Amino acid sequence: MDFLNQLVSDVNGVLWGVFFLIPLLCGTGIFYTIKLRFVQVRKFGLAARFLLGGASLFGKRADKSGMSSFQALATAVAAQVGTGNVAGTATALVAGGPGSLFWLWVAAFFGMATIFAEAVLAQTYRTKDEQGRVLGGPAYYITLGMGEKWRPLAVFFSIAIIIALGCIGNMVQSNSIAHAMQTAFNVPAAVSGVVCAVLAGLVFFGGVGRLASVTEKIVPFMAAIYLIGGLWVIGAHITEVIPAFRLIFVAAFDPEAVMGGALGLTVAKAMQFGVARGLFSNEAGMGSTPHAHAVARVEHPAEQGLVAMFGVFTTVVIVTFTGIVILVTGVLDFKTTGIELTQHAYTVGLGSFGMAFVAVCLFFFAFSTIMGWYFFGEQNVRFLFRSRGVLAYRVIVCAFIVTGAMLKVDFVWSLADLFNGLMVLPNLVALVALHKVVGESLEDFEKKLDHYEERKSENIDDRMQRL
């Protein structure tokens, strides 16, 4: 087992290293940022209007025809905001220093353009199954956009994401929940696993309608609770906020100047761990979130592309709060890492309540990720087996949730990273191959938007003349 664990770790070191997936994902983001003329900046205000205009905790129930734009975003964010935002940020700060947070922001900025493209393609090439259910995602835009000759690539993607997210990924999420509950409240791991599986099963077997209904409520709630707790800690250490930001920017370009040379921190390390953690946390380019955006009921694909950018923006806000809390509380000692470091920071900031606070937040983050990742996997089960494999998939995922809670999952985490990396490759191929479709969609949307604004202006002028 040690040999296998080391082998997978070595492969991941190359796959997620500075010479393979990291430059490929960042390069794709930079390419789309330039091609779409910095859409994440130009259209950010419009994206906010679309998001706020459709936001509701009690939207129309989703069905086989799809879900609202906000419900689709909530489902995507449910998957994006997971344990990586709480534990992964701490790991990046320890491995790459405070400067890694700056490079995480850079990765997220370009990732917003990538996720815009993914959502547009998911909307453009979505389809329906034999029951009239809307389906979409990378497997669909590979086969429908690039042609049936590329179907083996789509099949490879589907298998990889089912294993990476639906099975192994959900196992480690339930393990995170069990560990946090046991540490904070002394709840046995088996109990946490069974309870988590039962709650998840109730959502799974309720179909897309119940899943959308749960995510549109739980995502705003969990984000608000975590940010309120973070604001409380930051407010209590307000004098340390400016020094913390100064530390981030200086350490991003000259780590030795602020951290000392003994730690071995370099710009390359800060960049590697910041970018890698940013890509993991926002999932831009990984091919996961397009499954949610594909089923959104919108008038134009680019509209959902704009809304999708807020998924990345949300992860950046939550990750930043985690990082700032760790820095202002002064707990970054490079000895502890992961969830223990985050819990330590909130214990300093919130007292004895801090550990319980992080455990509760982690439960919501991990549980919402389980729901999102399950849905992404189900879309690919339907791609491979149609409706025949869905029931078996639901039972298998619930079994993985229970099993994961009771295991030590270091090796399982490594396997999840491996399959995450493997599923990125087919998606990046499709994103590059179909770039013209994305560009034309945005151009068409902007022309229609300009026409709408002209008509709106003309109507106002007519009304003014009549007055």
Side-chain angles (χ1 to χ4, degrees), residues 230-467:
L231 281 172
W232 183 275
V233 176
I234 292 171
H237 298 79
I238 194 67
T239 58
E240 299 299 323
V241 173
I242 293 178
F245 276 99
R246 178 184 176 276
L247 185 65
I248 291 168
F249 285 102
V250 174
F253 300 98
D254 191 7
E256 291 188 9
V258 292
M259 307 306 295
L263 294 172
L265 296 177
T266 63
V267 174
K269 273 193 174 182
M271 187 181 298
Q272 177 184 353
F273 288 101
V275 171
R277 179 47 50 197
L279 295 171
F280 265 120
S281 65
N282 62 54
E283 299 187 25
M286 292 181 65
S288 51
T289 57
H291 299 93
H293 297 302
V295 300
R297 291 189 290 255
V298 292
E299 296 182 7
H300 195 284
E303 181 181 334
Q304 191 60 24
L306 295 177
V307 172
M309 295 192 304
F310 268 88
V312 176
F313 183 75
T314 301
T315 64
V316 170
V317 172
I318 292 176
V319 164
T320 299
F321 266 74
T322 303
I324 296 300
V325 166
I326 290 172
L327 293 178
V328 299
T329 52
V331 300
L332 183 61
D333 58 6
F334 297 90
K335 295 177 183 178
T336 56
T337 187
I339 191 63
E340 289 82 8
L341 180 57
T342 305
Q343 285 180 319
H344 184 29
Y346 274 94
T347 299
V348 171
L350 299 175
S352 58
F353 175 65
M355 185 169 291
F357 173 79
V358 174
V360 172
C361 289
L362 189 69
F363 169 79
F364 282 111
F365 285 2
F367 185 73
S368 68
T369 298
I370 287 172
M371 290 189 293
W373 283 359
Y374 159 81
F375 178 70
F376 301 161
E378 182 189 293
Q379 293 287 80
N380 287 275
V381 168
R382 293 185 184 278
F383 175 79
L384 294 175
F385 308 109
R386 299 193 177 183
S387 300
R388 295 189 300 272
V390 173
L391 178 60
Y393 172 69
R394 289 170 177 169
V395 174
I396 290 170
V397 172
C398 289
F400 269 93
I401 290 172
V402 175
T403 304
M406 297 181 288
L407 293 178
K408 294 192 68 171
V409 292
D410 292 343
F411 177 62
V412 180
W413 261 119
S414 296
L415 279 179
D417 289 345
L418 174 62
F419 282 97
N420 273 332
L422 292 177
M423 80 186 202
V424 169
L425 297 174
N427 187 53
L428 291 183
V429 170
L431 285 174
V432 173
L434 299 172
H435 68 91
K436 290 184 179 180
V437 177
V438 178
E440 290 170 357
S441 179
L442 180 58
E443 288 179 8
D444 179 68
F445 175 74
E446 290 180 319
K447 287 178 181 177
K448 291 178 177 177
L449 191 65
D450 290 341
H451 178 67
Y452 169 77
E453 293 295 338
E454 289 175 4
R455 291 286 302 275
K456 184 179 178 181
S457 178
E458 289 173 0
N459 290 336
I460 292 175
D461 290 340
D462 290 341
R463 288 198 298 270
M464 290 297 291
Q465 290 176 2
R466 288 197 295 271
L467 290 173

Side-chain angles (χ1 to χ4, degrees), residues 112 118-119 172 182 199 204 218 228 248 254 289 310 387 443:
M112 291 174 75
E118 289 181 295
V172 294
Q182 193 164 31
L199 292 175
F204 298 165
I218 196 175
I228 290 171
I248 291 168
D254 191 7
T289 57
F310 268 88
S387 300
E443 288 179 8

Side-chain angles (χ1 to χ4, degrees), residues 15-34:
L15 192 63
W16 286 102
V18 293
F19 298 110
F20 198 51
L21 279 183
I22 287 179
L24 286 177
L25 282 163
C26 287
T28 303
I30 293 170
F31 168 73
Y32 267 111
T33 296
I34 296 171

Side-chain angles (χ1 to χ4, degrees), residues 5-55:
N5 193 11
Q6 186 61 47
L7 177 63
V8 174
S9 296
D10 291 342
V11 172
N12 283 337
V14 176
L15 192 63
W16 286 102
V18 293
F19 298 110
F20 198 51
L21 279 183
I22 287 179
L24 286 177
L25 282 163
C26 287
T28 303
I30 293 170
F31 168 73
Y32 267 111
T33 296
I34 296 171
K35 179 176 179 60
L36 302 176
R37 307 184 312 283
F38 288 81
V39 65
Q40 65 269 57
V41 178
R42 294 190 300 113
K43 300 297 181 183
F44 189 83
L46 181 61
R49 282 164 51 193
F50 278 127
L51 174 64
L52 297 176

Side-chain angles (χ1 to χ4, degrees), residues 88-209:
T89 305
T91 302
L93 287 174
V94 170
S100 60
L101 200 55
F102 171 82
W103 294 110
L104 186 148
W105 296 335
V106 172
F109 175 78
F110 293 116
M112 291 174 75
T114 304
I115 212 162
F116 173 90
E118 289 181 295
V120 167
L121 291 176
Q123 276 281 319
T124 302
Y125 295 108
R126 65 183 189 169
T127 186
K128 293 183 178 181
D129 64 10
E130 67 278 4
Q131 298 174 340
R133 183 181 289 101
V134 175
L135 303 171
Y140 297 90
Y141 56 69
I142 288 173
T143 51
L144 298 176
M146 298 170 62
E148 278 294 323
K149 65 180 180 180
W150 292 93
R151 186 174 181 82
L153 193 67
V155 170
F156 177 82
F157 172 86
S158 292
I159 293 172
I161 194 172
I162 290 169
I163 295 173
L165 302 188
C167 297
I168 297 176
N170 281 335
M171 179 184 287
V172 294
Q173 294 296 328
S174 68
N175 184 268
S176 298
I177 291 174
H179 178 72
M181 291 296 123
Q182 193 164 31
T183 302
F185 306 111
N186 203 29
V187 177
V191 173
S192 294
V194 171
V195 171
C196 189
V198 170
L199 292 175
L202 291 173
V203 178
F204 298 165
F205 285 91
V208 67

